[in-house]
Amino acid sequence: MLLAHISDLHLDGGARAAERAARVVEYINALSRRPDAVLVTGDIADHGTADEYAEAAALLARIDVPVLTCPGNHDDRAAYRKGLLDLPGDAAKAAPDPYAAVNRLHHVGGYAILMLDSSIPGEDAGAFDDATLDWLGRTLDGLGDTPALPAFHHPPAVIHHEYLDSTNLTNADRFAELLAGRDNVPAVLVGHAHTPAATTFAGRPLLIAPGVTSTLRLPWESGEGLVNRTAPPGIAFHVLDGEHRIMTHFRVVE
């Protein structure tokens, strides 16, 4: 299975973000092998407005394979539901579990892909609430031996960047406890960091997609500001084989 993984488009109605995101879409559509799916792990909109989601929906509709999304800290849950999931935005406030229609299970190429909401409304940091952890645990158990890939926005591991590490998944320990003893999760896929990176979490590969709108400036790199806005957009390709091993390739899109 081949997955294309992008993150942090930060579409804001402006020409710069739109051009960079469109460049990535064109790159995906020009691939000689079609990915089985494209994952978009949050911060799709920059301010969470209806207009930004209309822009995002039109852009992502140009990709000719399934596109699976989840929200990030810049996204607004109600507007995201309405603009990208075609669900009533108000239901996010009225439903007993506002995450229920945001967390999504997709079956792709013999794998289960679980797109999860790790956002906390009004905060940059992330967390899984009790309802999401319960949904994730029940869903993983119900999958049996089907390999499953959780994908969400906030990394559950240290990035070695002071600011980013203050805005990661704050209850990563609970997520790790949930994964313990469940052997059908070969990897975890996230965004948020605006930098291609790889480590391990709970004994599994943790793979972080590069940013589309910008690239994180690491503490030991020269330059001013949190991010480099002139670095080209990035994309990750995850290849999973018959033994459920994952190989990731990172590319920039010039």
Side-chain angles (χ1 to χ4, degrees):
M1 181 174 70
L2 173 63
L3 297 173
H5 180 189
I6 62 176
S7 197
D8 297 270
L9 283 65
H10 288 268
L11 293 169
D12 57 4
R16 178 187 174 277
E19 187 279 328
R20 291 172 70 91
R23 200 188 320 166
V24 172
V25 166
E26 292 166 4
Y27 177 81
I28 292 170
N29 284 339
L31 295 171
S32 61
R33 173 184 169 184
R34 315 312 300 137
D36 292 278
V38 174
L39 311 186
V40 189
T41 49
D43 281 2
I44 300 166
D46 196 43
H47 305 97
T49 68
D51 287 346
E52 290 172 348
Y53 290 113
E55 179 184 6
L59 175 77
L60 297 176
R62 290 162 50 187
I63 299 176
D64 56 4
V65 300
V67 177
L68 316 181
T69 65
C70 65
N73 53 291
H74 278 253
D75 291 302
D76 175 85
R77 191 177 298 141
Y80 166 87
R81 282 169 50 95
K82 187 173 182 179
L84 292 184
L85 300 184
D86 197 26
L87 294 168
D90 290 345
K93 299 177 182 177
D97 175 10
Y99 292 82
V102 176
N103 298 323
R104 288 292 183 93
L105 167 64
H106 306 269
H107 290 278
V108 178
Y111 284 78
I113 301 176
L114 290 78
M115 304 300 293
L116 303 168
D117 185 356
S118 63
S119 67
I120 305 172
E123 297 188 22
D124 288 335
F128 290 137
D129 79 340
D130 290 342
T132 292
L133 289 169
D134 178 68
W135 181 89
L136 178 57
R138 287 186 286 104
T139 302
L140 289 174
D141 290 342
L143 289 169
D145 294 332
T146 301
L149 296 169
F152 50 95
H153 188 64
H154 296 84
V158 172
I159 305 296
H160 299 286
H161 186 288
E162 183 178 5
Y163 173 73
L164 260 295
D165 290 336
S166 72
T167 66
N168 282 346
L169 193 74
T170 58
N171 58 348
D173 54 339
R174 293 190 63 192
F175 180 47
E177 291 170 3
L178 186 148
L179 294 181
R182 291 183 165 96
D183 297 329
N184 61 331
V185 179
V188 176
L189 311 177
V190 297
H192 186 57
H194 291 233
T195 183
T199 185
T200 57
F201 175 78
R204 298 161 173 82
L206 172 65
L207 302 163
I208 303 174
V212 170
T213 193
S214 61
T215 296
L216 180 70
R217 184 171 281 113
L218 297 169
W220 49 89
E221 292 184 304
S222 61
E224 298 295 328
L226 178 65
V227 296
N228 182 342
R229 289 169 56 86
T230 62
I235 185 170
F237 293 108
H238 307 299
V239 186
L240 293 110
D241 65 18
E243 297 183 8
H244 306 155
R245 286 185 301 247
I246 189 165
M247 171 64 74
T248 296
H249 303 271
F250 296 107
R251 288 290 182 269
V252 297
V253 181
E254 300 287 356

